[in-house]
Amino acid sequence: MRSFYDSKYLKGDITGGLVAGVVALPLALAFGVQSGLGAIAGLYGAIAVGILAALFGGTNTQASGPTGPMTVVSAALVANAIDVAGSLQDAMGIILLSFLVGGALQIIFGLINIAGYIKYFPYPVISGFMSGVGLIIVILQLFPFVGLDSPKSTLKVIMDLPRLFGELNWQAFVLGVLTVIIYYVFPKITKAVPSALVALITVSIFAFFIQWNVPIIGEIPSGLPSLRLEGLFSVDSSAYFLVLEYGMVLAVLGSIDSLLTSVIADNMTKTKHNSNRELIGQGIGNMASALIGGIPGAGATKGTVVNINNGGKTKLSGTLHGAFLLAVLLGLSSLATYIPLAVLAGILIPIGFKIIDKKGLKHLRTVPRADAIVLLIVLFWTTFGSLVHAVSIGVTLAALLFMKRSSDIGEEGMRVGTLAGFDGEKPWDDEGDFFKRYQNNVYIKHLYGPLFFGFTSHFKEEVKKINEDIKVLIIRMDRVPYMDQSGLYALEYAILELSQKEIKVVLTGLQKQPQHLLMSIDIIPDLVPEQQIFGHIKDSFPWVSQTLRS
């Protein structure tokens, strides 16, 4: 039994899993309502994905369930399916089949190692998409926040804004404002209990006892969910394209969302997840969720971080997170009937703002113009256009712009190569004697050609492999004529990772464009002081020698 599970992790797994479940409860209900399928669909999805993705996934501490990005895509699918079928009831076959196909595609992704390619998505595309998703959540919750039915698209919300002020339900608005205040203020008192849960319970009880006339969730089924197979086999062939289109988007987005969270978990636990297995686990969870009428999910960053911080170490923690939600469904679901929709909106609006990538937006003026353009196009296309097309358009633009820049570099007579690995690099001629003297404590990293989104994932992985005996890393950038936003943030990540290991970073041979970028977001001098920047590698040798002696 000990080889299967080490009991020393039991206490931490139970604590981490239960706290993650408590955090997930209000979000599951809120995301269910946001999707258009009702609170129960969010709870079903949180249970199925939470339990099965933990059991079959490749990240020991992952807590999975409905997330903002997946819910926004699900809501768009629901709206389009209703347009095709005429009503929600008639559209359920299309909706659930799309969820099922999305999960099946994730399993296929895992089996054929698609995870190895997903990591090459350019940063501006992911940033623009995530910021767009955050804006969608905020915009679509404006009307529920004041007690009104919301239009189904962001454009219709903007066009219907006069009604927001003319028909405002002041009682619902007060409840929404109270929820937001508690959400932000309660963590300043204590972080022992999730503020979203405190806001949900406190304001809902207040609304129940004062009997204000505000829209509520309404009846929620109790007991174990039943299989929803009736509509899956009666989908009209004319809807198959919609099914495949949204199934693919859910699969790709769910994979990116989950793998990003897995990387965060790795950094916190100093472990290494299995990307392909993670996608298979997420796919199994999403397929099961579809079969019981739940919305799809992915690795939830907040739940995963909470799980780890509270002692979660193994797959049992993620499984217990889902099992806790199942217990809530079986015992307390009837109480959720009275939760005001304005309270859920008050929880979702801050979450929407958190999803917006403030770092990427903050640096729009300083990153390469092409990256800024791609980010903004993806952001606005996601927010006001088609979620399905936003990512593909962004990736295409990023690739085209990079090819244009590579062509320009070639015309300037600069060599475009690949990044070398950290193992087996031979010293250049001007490093020979110094390398022999300090090879046990100093590593010299040679970079070749532009540092762009195609190489950044490899670069970050290589940085993690640096020997613990190394005290100084010299990064030679003599042959790096250009750096894009993805490359910029990859270098920032690498320097931060090295600083945690107390390894000093020296940059040599910086060319004009990379140096301007590094200074524009304060990597120089905040992370790499100016005294650690040298025009030529030979100029750095005295400083490195003195640093090693001190």
Side-chain angles (χ1 to χ4, degrees), residues 44 96 100 224-233 287-294:
Y44 285 167
L96 297 183
L100 192 71
L224 292 171
S226 56
L227 290 176
R228 299 286 299 273
L229 303 177
E230 67 279 358
L232 294 176
F233 306 107
M287 289 188 72
S289 176
L291 292 174
I292 59 174

Side-chain angles (χ1 to χ4, degrees), residues 5-206:
Y5 181 80
D6 194 332
S7 59
K8 71 179 181 181
Y9 298 132
L10 183 61
K11 181 180 178 181
D13 284 343
I14 291 175
T15 304
L18 292 181
V19 176
V22 170
V23 170
L25 177 59
L27 303 185
L29 297 173
F31 285 139
V33 172
Q34 168 108 25
S35 73
L37 296 179
I40 192 62
L43 200 51
Y44 285 167
I47 292 167
V49 181
I51 294 175
L52 296 176
L55 286 174
F56 297 102
T59 311
N60 285 342
T61 52
Q62 187 94 290
S64 301
T67 63
M70 294 293 278
T71 302
V72 166
V73 176
S74 299
L77 166 63
V78 170
N80 283 331
I82 292 174
D83 287 342
V84 170
S87 69
L88 178 59
Q89 183 176 351
D90 293 334
M92 284 305 295
I94 299 173
I95 295 166
L96 297 183
L97 184 59
S98 300
F99 293 166
L100 192 71
V101 167
L105 287 173
Q106 281 187 291
I107 295 175
I108 294 172
F109 289 174
L111 293 174
I112 63 175
N113 192 28
I114 286 292
Y117 297 93
I118 287 177
K119 62 187 178 184
Y120 292 119
F121 269 66
Y123 183 90
V125 177
I126 295 176
S127 173
F129 185 82
M130 297 301 285
S131 294
V133 164
L135 282 176
I136 290 173
I137 291 174
V138 172
I139 292 171
L140 291 183
Q141 290 305 313
L142 292 177
F143 278 81
F145 190 76
V146 298
L148 302 176
D149 290 333
S150 177
K152 300 304 180 184
S153 73
T154 51
L155 278 175
K156 290 179 180 178
V157 169
I158 300 300
M159 294 171 64
D160 206 20
L161 278 178
R163 183 168 69 89
L164 184 73
F165 302 100
E167 302 177 16
L168 177 146
N169 179 331
W170 70 268
Q171 295 175 336
F173 177 68
V174 169
L175 296 179
V177 170
L178 282 174
T179 304
V180 172
I181 291 173
I182 294 173
Y183 185 95
Y184 282 115
V185 172
F186 191 78
K188 299 180 185 300
I189 301 171
T190 177
K191 294 182 180 179
V193 183
S195 62
L197 185 68
V198 174
L200 178 77
I201 294 174
T202 304
V203 182
S204 297
I205 291 174
F206 172 74

Side-chain angles (χ1 to χ4, degrees), residues 407-425:
S407 174
D408 293 343
I409 292 172
E411 290 174 2
E412 294 165 9
M414 299 178 181
R415 186 169 75 87
V416 179
T418 60
L419 292 182
F422 271 66
D423 294 325
E425 286 195 3

Side-chain angles (χ1 to χ4, degrees), residues 386-400:
S386 168
L387 287 160
V388 176
H389 300 149
V391 173
S392 57
I393 289 170
V395 171
T396 302
L397 279 174
L400 289 173

